[in-house]
């Protein structure tokens, strides 16, 4: 249930992040994240039922299948979100910064910061949807 709430909040935040973009782009990305979320949660549900993850004993294949599923879908969520956030912040920084030298320095610092955040996001995504299982 917590994972579903997190995904809904994620989709809503992506929609509001793209408010100033064209309607088609906003709806297309929202649909992308919604469809990926449905497939992701359906897969988690099937893996959980197939391997009885909430009732013991659980075979190692169950944890491996869930880990692989969560790992694969982390890329489907985090990389597009990183691209969207980088694009939106690029447009904002472009409006604010006037000199080219300062703009380039801020862009480089911002890209490094976004890469660090996206790297940490993989771990957070795994903790939310996979947990501390072996």
């Amino acid at each position: 249930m917590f994972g579903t709430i997190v995904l809904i909040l994620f989709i809503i935040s992506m929609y509001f992040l793209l408010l100033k973009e064209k309607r088609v782009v906003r709806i297309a990305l929202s649909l992308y994240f919604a469809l990926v979320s449905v497939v992701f949660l359906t897969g988690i549900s099937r893996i959980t039922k197939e391997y009885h993850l909430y009732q013991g004993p659980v075979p190692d294949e169950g944890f491996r299948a869930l880990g692989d599923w969560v790992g694969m879908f982390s890329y489907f969520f985090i990389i597009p979100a990183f691209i969207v956030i980088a694009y939106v912040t690029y447009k904002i920084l472009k409006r604010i910064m006037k000199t080219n030298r300062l703009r380039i320095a801020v862009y480089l610092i911002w890209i490094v910061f976004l890469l660090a955040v996206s790297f940490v996001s993989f771990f957070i995504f795994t903790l939310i949807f996979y947990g501390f299982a072996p």
Side-chain angles (χ1 to χ4, degrees):
M1 183 68 180
F2 177 70
T4 305
I5 294 170
V6 168
L7 287 177
I8 289 170
L9 291 175
F10 175 76
I11 293 169
I12 291 170
S13 66
M14 283 291 121
Y15 182 82
F16 284 121
L17 188 64
L18 294 166
L19 271 180
K20 294 187 179 182
E21 299 302 318
K22 293 180 181 179
R23 185 172 187 257
V24 174
V25 172
R26 190 172 55 237
I27 291 174
L29 282 170
S30 297
L31 282 175
Y32 167 78
F33 284 121
L35 289 174
V36 170
S37 298
V38 167
V39 171
F40 176 62
L41 292 175
T42 303
I44 285 179
S45 176
R46 288 188 182 188
I47 291 170
T48 301
K49 287 179 185 174
E50 181 179 341
Y51 291 105
H52 309 288
L53 292 180
Y54 293 127
Q55 304 138 2
V58 177
D60 289 336
E61 294 85 28
F63 291 120
R64 191 173 310 116
L66 182 62
D68 292 345
W69 186 257
V70 170
M72 180 178 62
F73 273 86
S74 66
Y75 293 106
F76 294 143
F77 282 102
I78 294 171
I79 292 174
F82 171 77
I83 292 170
V84 167
I85 292 169
Y87 175 72
V88 169
T89 54
Y90 169 77
K91 286 178 56 176
I92 292 171
L93 289 175
K94 189 176 176 184
R95 271 187 295 156
I96 295 173
M97 302 290 171
K98 300 298 180 197
T99 62
N100 283 337
R101 288 185 185 183
L102 181 62
R103 188 182 299 171
I104 291 171
V106 170
Y107 288 156
L108 290 175
I109 292 169
W110 188 246
I111 292 295
V112 169
F113 177 74
L114 285 176
L115 286 172
V117 168
S118 67
F119 182 73
V120 172
S121 297
F122 283 105
F123 294 112
I124 293 170
F125 189 88
T126 303
L127 281 175
I128 290 172
F129 295 105
Y130 181 71
F132 290 107

